[in-house]
Amino acid sequence: MTTRIILAAVGAIVALAGWMWRRSALAQWQAAGENAKKKKPRLPTVVMLLGIWLAVVKVLELAFGVKPRESFAVDIWADRIDLGGFSLSMTVVYTWIIMAALILLALVLRLTVIRRMTQVPKGAQNVLEICVENLCKYTKSNVGDLGDNLPAYLFMIAMFMVGSAILELFGIRAPTSDITMTFSMALMTFVLINYYGLKVKGFGGRLKRYRNPMNIVSDLAVPVSLACRLFGNMLGGLIVMDLLYFAMGNYAVALPSVVGLYFNVFHPLIQAFIFVTLTLTFIGEAVE
């Protein structure tokens, strides 16, 4: 305990010294004005943040104790719970939560924003119209005009993946890091690919594609590749974050949150965009 108190005090002293150094360096930099050839000083800020980080870590250890280090392990499959005599995967439970949240959000928007829509959009209406308009334009630029149902499906998929990313921010395993969920999403896309292929080209036109046996193999590989690609990327982000927490141990304060902005926010949004783009690509191949 004595060591932790000393280190907390050292961290506080370093933070204070860094703050004073930063204040002095900024004053000199501002005084130089346009004649300053050097960039804005960053080293004092780094020293101050390191001191704050060390002090916070040691204060937390003093308050809550030191968490013992456990062996590192990653489960490919999601945990299961018993609910009403049924064994359910936590992926299903979290999916229900996301669905309920999206349905509630849709009802709120329907009863507030949509029923009061004006000719000149503003506020939430403006945001909704921008999202819908851009998604419809992106869909039309890739596959032409196939109706309003396709952009609605793509918007639903994107919102579900955003909901999964939000859950991951709270330390909950995202449903999209479960192969069963990603395969279900890929199967829905596979059904849509064939639906639009039959709708545009007819049964005979769609059947002509399979005169080449390789097209059968490539089409059957579509849901597998979609599911495995999304699953691998989302599971990879989960493993990276778990490795970071494991490696830092009790020092996992602040830094994992900064890294998590990429792996729990930006990275899932990229995967949503890629999934939507691949869906449109495969549908475009089916109708061309």
Side-chain angles (χ1 to χ4, degrees):
M1 180 177 290
T2 304
T3 303
R4 291 196 288 272
I5 294 175
I6 293 175
L7 288 175
V10 169
I13 294 172
V14 170
L16 180 60
W19 176 76
M20 296 176 66
W21 181 17
R22 179 176 180 273
R23 186 177 179 182
S24 175
L26 285 176
Q28 294 178 6
W29 179 75
Q30 291 173 353
E34 297 180 354
N35 297 324
K37 296 181 179 180
K38 295 183 179 179
K39 294 183 179 179
K40 191 174 182 179
R42 293 188 175 90
L43 184 58
T45 304
V46 174
V47 172
M48 179 183 69
L49 292 176
L50 286 176
I52 294 174
W53 172 71
L54 179 61
V56 169
V57 168
K58 293 307 171 182
V59 168
L60 290 176
E61 287 183 358
L62 289 169
F64 302 103
V66 179
K67 183 180 179 180
R69 181 177 290 271
E70 301 176 354
S71 59
F72 180 76
V74 176
D75 293 327
I76 299 297
W77 305 105
D79 296 333
R80 304 188 70 88
I81 61 170
D82 291 327
L83 187 63
F86 295 94
S87 179
L88 295 177
S89 169
M90 290 304 297
T91 297
V92 175
V93 176
Y94 295 144
T95 300
W96 287 346
I97 293 174
I98 296 173
M99 290 169 57
L102 291 178
I103 292 172
L104 180 61
L105 177 62
L107 288 174
V108 170
L109 291 176
R110 180 65 182 85
L111 296 174
T112 56
V113 178
I114 296 179
R115 69 183 300 180
R116 299 175 183 173
M117 293 182 71
T118 58
Q119 192 68 28
V120 179
K122 58 182 180 179
Q125 178 186 342
N126 197 27
V127 174
L128 285 175
E129 290 193 10
I130 289 174
C131 292
V132 172
E133 182 180 357
N134 285 309
L135 182 57
C136 290
K137 285 182 178 179
Y138 186 67
T139 302
K140 192 171 184 178
S141 66
N142 282 274
V143 297
D145 188 10
L146 295 178
D148 297 332
N149 292 330
L150 182 56
Y153 166 75
L154 297 175
F155 187 75
M156 180 272 295
I157 287 292
M159 290 302 297
F160 175 78
M161 295 184 69
V162 169
S164 298
I166 293 174
L167 280 184
E168 200 167 5
L169 287 175
F170 293 94
I172 298 173
R173 178 169 178 167
T176 46
S177 63
D178 189 333
I179 186 64
T180 58
M181 174 55 65
T182 59
F183 197 71
S184 299
M185 296 167 62
L187 280 178
M188 289 191 296
T189 293
F190 183 67
V191 170
L192 277 180
I193 292 170
N194 288 278
Y195 167 76
Y196 282 108
L198 291 170
K199 180 180 179 181
V200 174
K201 304 182 71 175
F203 183 78
R206 184 66 177 163
L207 197 61
K208 288 180 181 178
R209 171 178 170 79
Y210 298 117
R211 288 182 297 185
N212 183 353
M214 288 304 298
N215 288 334
I216 300 176
V217 177
S218 64
D219 281 4
L220 291 177
V222 166
V224 178
S225 63
L226 277 175
C228 292
R229 188 207 57 78
L230 180 58
F231 166 69
N233 280 285
M234 297 305 297
L235 183 65
L238 174 68
I239 292 174
V240 168
M241 290 303 300
D242 285 350
L243 273 173
L244 182 61
Y245 278 107
F246 174 77
M248 295 188 67
N250 290 290
Y251 289 87
V253 177
L255 180 60
S257 300
V258 176
V259 178
L261 290 176
Y262 173 78
F263 286 104
N264 295 337
V265 179
F266 187 61
H267 179 249
L269 294 178
I270 292 176
Q271 297 307 316
F273 175 75
I274 293 175
F275 191 90
V276 168
T277 302
L278 289 177
T279 297
L280 291 173
T281 300
F282 291 129
I283 292 177
E285 291 178 355
V287 300
E288 67 182 5

